Amino acid sequence: MDYRAYEFEKRELWLDILEDELTVLHRAGFVHRALRRPSDMPGERFDNIFLTPTGFRLIDVGISALRSNVGDRLFNRFIEQEMAELSLFRTFVLSR
């Protein structure tokens, strides 16, 4: 689905919901680590985030991490990176 066809307020709502869902996953000890496609991988920078009839959905590209496997310090760094990428994605979506 092409999100550009929807009004600004609806896109903001979908982004807020995505952020809430990521926060729930973080609290459960899971982080995706791949909101923005790494620069050494082919494709568009946010091509792993899709708009579905129920909102934005993120495809796990296999570099996710569990807090129990990486420890608190590294896990918190991954969350910081993911939230920074979410901010970039928000700007990307709302400016189009």
Side-chain angles (χ1 to χ4, degrees), residues 36-48:
R36 187 168 128 178
R37 184 77 66 188
S39 61
D40 62 340
M41 294 179 69
E44 297 295 320
R45 61 184 174 164
F46 294 112
D47 64 357
N48 57 325

Side-chain angles (χ1 to χ4, degrees), residues 6-47:
Y6 295 91
E7 61 272 1
F8 184 86
E9 291 79 11
K10 189 153 194 139
R11 289 184 274 162
E12 274 187 314
L13 177 62
W14 287 330
L15 289 164
D16 290 344
I17 291 169
L18 177 61
E19 184 173 354
D20 290 346
E21 290 171 340
L22 288 173
T23 299
V24 169
L25 289 173
H26 296 161
R27 287 182 185 147
F30 179 88
V31 65
H32 276 280
R33 297 189 53 214
L35 296 187
R36 187 168 128 178
R37 184 77 66 188
S39 61
D40 62 340
M41 294 179 69
E44 297 295 320
R45 61 184 174 164
F46 294 112
D47 64 357

Side-chain angles (χ1 to χ4, degrees), residues 2-92:
D2 188 353
Y3 59 85
R4 292 173 293 179
Y6 295 91
E7 61 272 1
F8 184 86
E9 291 79 11
K10 189 153 194 139
R11 289 184 274 162
E12 274 187 314
L13 177 62
W14 287 330
L15 289 164
D16 290 344
I17 291 169
L18 177 61
E19 184 173 354
D20 290 346
E21 290 171 340
L22 288 173
T23 299
V24 169
L25 289 173
H26 296 161
R27 287 182 185 147
F30 179 88
V31 65
H32 276 280
R33 297 189 53 214
L35 296 187
R36 187 168 128 178
R37 184 77 66 188
S39 61
D40 62 340
M41 294 179 69
E44 297 295 320
R45 61 184 174 164
F46 294 112
D47 64 357
N48 57 325
I49 303 175
F50 293 94
L51 179 60
T52 70
T54 58
F56 285 114
R57 292 295 168 249
L58 178 62
I59 294 177
D60 188 351
V61 295
I63 60 172
S64 56
L66 296 174
R67 181 189 303 268
S68 59
N69 290 347
V70 298
D72 288 338
R73 185 174 178 191
L74 190 54
F75 185 80
N76 290 332
R77 287 179 58 202
F78 290 155
I79 288 177
E80 287 176 20
Q81 177 184 354
E82 191 167 280
M83 298 313 286
E85 291 175 357
L86 181 60
S87 178
L88 292 172
F89 181 65
R90 179 179 290 274
T91 301
F92 177 77

